[in-house]
Amino acid sequence: MDTLMELLQDRGRFIGEISAGCNVRKKIENLLGISLCAFAVYGFIMGMSNSFLQSVSSMVKLPLLYLLTTVICFPTFFIFYSLFGSKTTFSKSMAYMLTAICVMSIIMLAFAPVTLFFLLTSKNYTFFKLLNVLFFSVSGIVGVSFFYKMIVTVDSQADAVTMSDAAPGVVPDQTAGAKGPDFVSAPGAAPEPVAGAAVGGQHADPADWRDKFYDMKGPYARRPDSAHNGRNKILFFWLILYAFVGTQLAWTLRPFFGAPDMPFELVRKLGGNFYVDVFKSVSRLFK
């Protein structure tokens, strides 16, 4: 519950804690648990358009869809981003990605009452299917935008800290992987505990991330060299790749809804594609 409230009300600090290496493994477990539960609830409601068996099937398949998409796409992101100079560890990268997925799942959970309302009050299956496509699109756009902004912030923050290492009155802690504060207030002074202190050259105070995360027009949004521009482009194209893999996998695992007049099917034979089906549904809706 604490993780859920932080994502809703204090995402900047939550991301700062990941960057600082604070309980990353526990955060990954919590994010994964929240995401799976939220998607399972929404999946169950979706499947009610057909039968109880379809509800149970969708309750399992919807979390599986996002989990498999992440498993397929994450190695590509981590390897290429690292090749272009990122120093973010594997566990932190996974935590950042799961944070974005968790945001998507929370948005879908917020849409669940609306979906249930139209399921109970409307008998138009085409409308119900397109309504869900709209909700998934909204959650996906918000989640992708959130992930992009988050990664840019993390990179920019790391650069700002690196450039500030030589600033007067600041003594960096050069012990790689050491836990504890990276900076002390004056040369020669004994280190004092700082909330959410960083690990290995990251920023010390997660609370300080609030302004940096929500204000992407300031100095922390600057990308000073070609390596950053390269990572920016990789991130952009990877997000497109993630969307295409996700939609194709969703088409492979269909049905998630199930027309009321059709028998229950666990999966359907391959054929067609997601985009053609959406176009046909829109055409039928306006006939």
Side-chain angles (χ1 to χ4, degrees):
M1 183 60 71
D2 290 341
T3 299
L4 178 60
M5 295 309 297
E6 280 190 271
L7 283 177
L8 290 174
Q9 300 177 351
D10 203 356
R11 292 177 295 280
R13 182 183 181 88
F14 185 82
I15 296 166
E17 289 178 350
I18 294 175
S19 179
C22 300
N23 299 319
V24 175
R25 182 174 178 179
K26 183 178 180 181
K27 282 180 168 56
I28 289 176
E29 294 172 354
N30 291 340
L31 290 167
L32 189 60
I34 293 171
S35 300
L36 294 179
C37 290
F39 283 132
V41 170
Y42 195 88
F44 187 86
I45 294 175
M46 277 199 312
M48 291 172 62
S49 61
N50 179 268
S51 63
F52 177 76
L53 285 177
Q54 185 63 60
S55 291
V56 174
S57 173
S58 299
M59 182 177 69
V60 175
K61 289 196 294 184
L62 187 59
L64 186 63
L65 167 64
Y66 283 87
L67 185 61
L68 288 178
T69 304
T70 301
V71 169
I72 293 169
C73 294
F74 178 75
T76 305
F77 167 75
F78 181 76
I79 291 172
F80 278 91
Y81 216 64
S82 297
L83 283 174
F84 275 75
S86 173
K87 303 300 181 184
T88 306
T89 64
F90 185 90
S91 60
K92 289 181 183 179
S93 297
M94 178 59 73
Y96 293 139
M97 182 171 292
L98 287 176
T99 300
I101 292 174
C102 193
V103 168
M104 294 186 205
S105 72
I106 293 171
I107 293 174
M108 293 309 301
L109 189 63
F111 282 135
V114 181
T115 301
L116 182 60
F117 170 78
F118 280 104
L119 175 67
L120 297 176
T121 59
S122 175
K123 300 301 181 182
N124 190 326
Y125 172 70
T126 300
F127 169 78
F128 180 74
K129 184 166 65 171
L130 289 176
L131 180 70
N132 278 273
V133 170
L134 174 63
F135 289 164
F136 277 106
S137 299
V138 171
S139 71
I141 291 171
V142 173
V144 164
S145 301
F146 177 85
F147 184 72
Y148 184 88
K149 182 178 178 180
M150 176 171 51
I151 296 301
V152 169
T153 306
V154 168
D155 266 3
S156 302
Q157 171 73 348
D159 293 337
V161 171
T162 300
M163 290 185 292
S164 71
D165 281 348
V170 175
V171 178
D173 180 0
Q174 301 294 342
T175 307
K179 295 184 178 180
D182 282 347
F183 305 110
V184 293
S185 57
E192 297 180 0
V194 179
V199 180
Q202 297 292 332
H203 196 272
D205 189 1
D208 193 39
W209 277 66
R210 292 190 184 99
D211 295 336
K212 297 170 183 56
F213 182 72
Y214 292 112
D215 181 14
M216 288 305 297
K217 297 180 180 179
Y220 290 91
R222 297 172 187 164
R223 316 288 296 192
D225 55 41
S226 59
H228 288 294
N229 293 330
R231 291 202 296 273
N232 231 5
K233 292 176 182 177
I234 285 176
L235 178 60
F236 177 76
F237 286 112
W238 180 85
L239 290 172
I240 296 176
L241 174 67
Y242 186 90
F244 273 103
V245 170
T247 52
Q248 182 60 31
L249 187 57
W251 184 255
T252 303
L253 293 175
R254 76 191 195 286
F256 289 91
F257 309 100
D261 57 346
M262 293 183 65
F264 166 73
E265 295 177 287
L266 185 61
V267 291
R268 289 179 187 161
K269 294 180 180 179
L270 291 177
N273 64 68
F274 170 81
Y275 303 100
V276 172
D277 185 70
V278 170
F279 178 78
K280 289 180 178 178
S281 296
V282 172
S283 300
R284 284 196 297 269
L285 185 65
F286 290 99
K287 280 184 178 179

